[in-house]
Amino acid sequence: MASVLVVEDDQFVRSALIRHLTEASHTVRSVGTALEALREVAHVGFDVVILDLGLPDLDGAEALKMLRGITDVPVIIATARDDEAEIVRLLNDGADDYLTKPFSVEHLSARMAAVLRRSRGAAAGGEPPSRLLQVGGLSIDPLRRQAELDGTALDLTRREFDLLAFLAGRPGVVVPRRELLAEVWQQSYGDDQTIDVHLSWLRRKLGETAAQPRYLHTLRGVGVKLEPPL
């Protein structure tokens, strides 16, 4: 069971979430503003935060950035907004998952379980392998979360690094998109556009394009592989 902070200003939605989570034997605290959420997180150790974006005092996207400045607690965004670009931006800014309203309590439970498994696995010692990953001129240190290309440090977002490190651990192997969603995004299903956007950003930082790949190769309808340039 988990300690959950619900950040939601709609009293009806808030009450429904509290009731469902309490019935599932979770310990629940709730607030209706971003500033209250920041105070709670600063003083109470939560296992997961469920964060609405449409808060009265501060947009949830800004609240997420502020939360990430003080804690690594898993954050699940729960909102009526469904813009793909905003979803990708929030995931890059540190959200661990995203649910679009309305959603079922079963859907929320499944997403929470996945986030908590990952979080508790890391706390129990499931940190990334310490060995250095080397693919051509790419050097990746999973433990320090640092990557270099031909000796120059790469400025990667958290998700870009996770994607690169996962592929680098399987050089030359075509990884299906479904596996990337499961292992990198911790989702059993999702939109391929999310993967495409991150691959595009990653290619740009590796100095290549989809039309002229060097390291990242997409096999249409199959998956993605990372291998050293010929």
mmCIF file of all heavy atoms in Angstrom, residues 38 63-75 93-96 158:
data_model
loop_
_atom_site.group_PDB
_atom_site.id
_atom_site.type_symbol
_atom_site.label_atom_id
_atom_site.label_comp_id
_atom_site.label_asym_id
_atom_site.label_seq_id
_atom_site.Cartn_x
_atom_site.Cartn_y
_atom_site.Cartn_z
ATOM 1 N N LEU A 38 3.280 21.770 -2.513
ATOM 2 C CA LEU A 38 4.715 21.929 -2.266
ATOM 3 C C LEU A 38 5.028 21.850 -0.773
ATOM 4 O O LEU A 38 6.021 21.236 -0.374
ATOM 5 C CB LEU A 38 5.204 23.260 -2.845
ATOM 6 C CG LEU A 38 5.209 23.339 -4.381
ATOM 7 C CD1 LEU A 38 5.409 24.777 -4.839
ATOM 8 C CD2 LEU A 38 6.299 22.443 -4.955
ATOM 9 N N ALA A 63 4.020 23.777 -11.266
ATOM 10 C CA ALA A 63 4.098 23.070 -9.986
ATOM 11 C C ALA A 63 4.978 21.828 -10.119
ATOM 12 O O ALA A 63 5.745 21.493 -9.205
ATOM 13 C CB ALA A 63 2.700 22.683 -9.518
ATOM 14 N N LEU A 64 4.861 21.127 -11.253
ATOM 15 C CA LEU A 64 5.677 19.942 -11.483
ATOM 16 C C LEU A 64 7.164 20.296 -11.452
ATOM 17 O O LEU A 64 7.968 19.597 -10.823
ATOM 18 C CB LEU A 64 5.310 19.308 -12.829
ATOM 19 C CG LEU A 64 6.201 18.154 -13.307
ATOM 20 C CD1 LEU A 64 6.092 16.961 -12.355
ATOM 21 C CD2 LEU A 64 5.820 17.741 -14.720
ATOM 22 N N LYS A 65 7.542 21.377 -12.134
ATOM 23 C CA LYS A 65 8.949 21.796 -12.143
ATOM 24 C C LYS A 65 9.436 22.125 -10.736
ATOM 25 O O LYS A 65 10.563 21.785 -10.363
ATOM 26 C CB LYS A 65 9.133 23.004 -13.055
ATOM 27 C CG LYS A 65 8.891 22.708 -14.530
ATOM 28 C CD LYS A 65 9.049 23.964 -15.366
ATOM 29 C CE LYS A 65 8.754 23.692 -16.831
ATOM 30 N NZ LYS A 65 8.869 24.916 -17.653
ATOM 31 N N MET A 66 8.580 22.762 -9.953
ATOM 32 C CA MET A 66 8.958 23.107 -8.579
ATOM 33 C C MET A 66 9.057 21.855 -7.717
ATOM 34 O O MET A 66 9.956 21.737 -6.867
ATOM 35 C CB MET A 66 7.951 24.095 -8.006
ATOM 36 C CG MET A 66 7.943 25.433 -8.736
ATOM 37 S SD MET A 66 6.659 26.576 -8.173
ATOM 38 C CE MET A 66 7.334 27.055 -6.585
ATOM 39 N N LEU A 67 8.152 20.899 -7.929
ATOM 40 C CA LEU A 67 8.227 19.633 -7.190
ATOM 41 C C LEU A 67 9.536 18.922 -7.489
ATOM 42 O O LEU A 67 10.184 18.379 -6.592
ATOM 43 C CB LEU A 67 7.046 18.737 -7.561
ATOM 44 C CG LEU A 67 5.705 19.033 -6.907
ATOM 45 C CD1 LEU A 67 4.603 18.204 -7.559
ATOM 46 C CD2 LEU A 67 5.766 18.740 -5.411
ATOM 47 N N ARG A 68 9.909 18.922 -8.773
ATOM 48 C CA ARG A 68 11.139 18.230 -9.165
ATOM 49 C C ARG A 68 12.380 18.895 -8.575
ATOM 50 O O ARG A 68 13.437 18.283 -8.492
ATOM 51 C CB ARG A 68 11.244 18.172 -10.693
ATOM 52 C CG ARG A 68 10.416 17.038 -11.282
ATOM 53 C CD ARG A 68 11.043 15.677 -10.916
ATOM 54 N NE ARG A 68 10.097 14.589 -11.088
ATOM 55 C CZ ARG A 68 9.444 13.999 -10.107
ATOM 56 N NH1 ARG A 68 9.618 14.401 -8.856
ATOM 57 N NH2 ARG A 68 8.632 13.000 -10.335
ATOM 58 N N GLY A 69 12.235 20.151 -8.142
ATOM 59 C CA GLY A 69 13.359 20.826 -7.514
ATOM 60 C C GLY A 69 13.600 20.393 -6.085
ATOM 61 O O GLY A 69 14.682 20.625 -5.539
ATOM 62 N N ILE A 70 12.586 19.745 -5.468
ATOM 63 C CA ILE A 70 12.734 19.367 -4.063
ATOM 64 C C ILE A 70 12.578 17.882 -3.798
ATOM 65 O O ILE A 70 12.891 17.416 -2.694
ATOM 66 C CB ILE A 70 11.732 20.145 -3.175
ATOM 67 C CG1 ILE A 70 10.287 19.825 -3.575
ATOM 68 C CG2 ILE A 70 11.996 21.640 -3.243
ATOM 69 C CD1 ILE A 70 9.247 20.450 -2.648
ATOM 70 N N THR A 71 12.089 17.108 -4.781
ATOM 71 C CA THR A 71 11.851 15.683 -4.520
ATOM 72 C C THR A 71 11.840 14.867 -5.807
ATOM 73 O O THR A 71 11.564 15.402 -6.888
ATOM 74 C CB THR A 71 10.497 15.491 -3.799
ATOM 75 O OG1 THR A 71 10.284 14.097 -3.547
ATOM 76 C CG2 THR A 71 9.354 16.010 -4.644
ATOM 77 N N ASP A 72 12.135 13.578 -5.672
ATOM 78 C CA ASP A 72 12.050 12.638 -6.789
ATOM 79 C C ASP A 72 10.807 11.767 -6.693
ATOM 80 O O ASP A 72 10.703 10.749 -7.369
ATOM 81 C CB ASP A 72 13.292 11.735 -6.821
ATOM 82 C CG ASP A 72 14.529 12.484 -7.264
ATOM 83 O OD1 ASP A 72 14.390 13.419 -8.087
ATOM 84 O OD2 ASP A 72 15.639 12.149 -6.807
ATOM 85 N N VAL A 73 9.850 12.142 -5.836
ATOM 86 C CA VAL A 73 8.639 11.335 -5.671
ATOM 87 C C VAL A 73 7.947 11.174 -7.030
ATOM 88 O O VAL A 73 7.865 12.127 -7.811
ATOM 89 C CB VAL A 73 7.683 11.991 -4.651
ATOM 90 C CG1 VAL A 73 7.197 13.348 -5.120
ATOM 91 C CG2 VAL A 73 6.495 11.080 -4.376
ATOM 92 N N PRO A 74 7.485 9.972 -7.359
ATOM 93 C CA PRO A 74 6.773 9.776 -8.624
ATOM 94 C C PRO A 74 5.533 10.662 -8.721
ATOM 95 O O PRO A 74 4.782 10.800 -7.754
ATOM 96 C CB PRO A 74 6.385 8.293 -8.581
ATOM 97 C CG PRO A 74 7.387 7.660 -7.686
ATOM 98 C CD PRO A 74 7.678 8.697 -6.635
ATOM 99 N N VAL A 75 5.340 11.268 -9.900
ATOM 100 C CA VAL A 75 4.206 12.159 -10.132
ATOM 101 C C VAL A 75 3.392 11.656 -11.326
ATOM 102 O O VAL A 75 3.945 11.462 -12.415
ATOM 103 C CB VAL A 75 4.664 13.606 -10.396
ATOM 104 C CG1 VAL A 75 3.459 14.496 -10.723
ATOM 105 C CG2 VAL A 75 5.425 14.170 -9.201
ATOM 106 N N ASP A 93 9.648 17.028 -18.433
ATOM 107 C CA ASP A 93 9.885 17.873 -17.262
ATOM 108 C C ASP A 93 9.861 17.091 -15.958
ATOM 109 O O ASP A 93 10.037 17.674 -14.887
ATOM 110 C CB ASP A 93 8.845 18.991 -17.196
ATOM 111 C CG ASP A 93 9.115 20.091 -18.221
ATOM 112 O OD1 ASP A 93 10.253 20.150 -18.735
ATOM 113 O OD2 ASP A 93 8.198 20.879 -18.512
ATOM 114 N N GLY A 94 9.621 15.780 -16.036
ATOM 115 C CA GLY A 94 9.727 14.969 -14.828
ATOM 116 C C GLY A 94 8.507 14.200 -14.407
ATOM 117 O O GLY A 94 8.545 13.485 -13.397
ATOM 118 N N ALA A 95 7.395 14.335 -15.151
ATOM 119 C CA ALA A 95 6.228 13.515 -14.821
ATOM 120 C C ALA A 95 6.547 12.051 -15.105
ATOM 121 O O ALA A 95 7.242 11.733 -16.062
ATOM 122 C CB ALA A 95 5.017 13.960 -15.642
ATOM 123 N N ASP A 96 6.026 11.172 -14.275
ATOM 124 C CA ASP A 96 6.276 9.742 -14.462
ATOM 125 C C ASP A 96 5.193 9.064 -15.284
ATOM 126 O O ASP A 96 5.428 8.010 -15.871
ATOM 127 C CB ASP A 96 6.400 9.057 -13.094
ATOM 128 C CG ASP A 96 7.637 9.512 -12.354
ATOM 129 O OD1 ASP A 96 7.576 10.545 -11.674
ATOM 130 O OD2 ASP A 96 8.669 8.844 -12.480
ATOM 131 N N ARG A 158 15.957 13.704 -19.219
ATOM 132 C CA ARG A 158 15.896 12.418 -18.521
ATOM 133 C C ARG A 158 15.412 11.306 -19.440
ATOM 134 O O ARG A 158 15.989 10.227 -19.491
ATOM 135 C CB ARG A 158 14.957 12.529 -17.310
ATOM 136 C CG ARG A 158 14.898 11.252 -16.480
ATOM 137 C CD ARG A 158 14.027 11.392 -15.278
ATOM 138 N NE ARG A 158 12.615 11.500 -15.630
ATOM 139 C CZ ARG A 158 11.622 11.177 -14.796
ATOM 140 N NH1 ARG A 158 11.899 10.754 -13.592
ATOM 141 N NH2 ARG A 158 10.371 11.289 -15.167
#
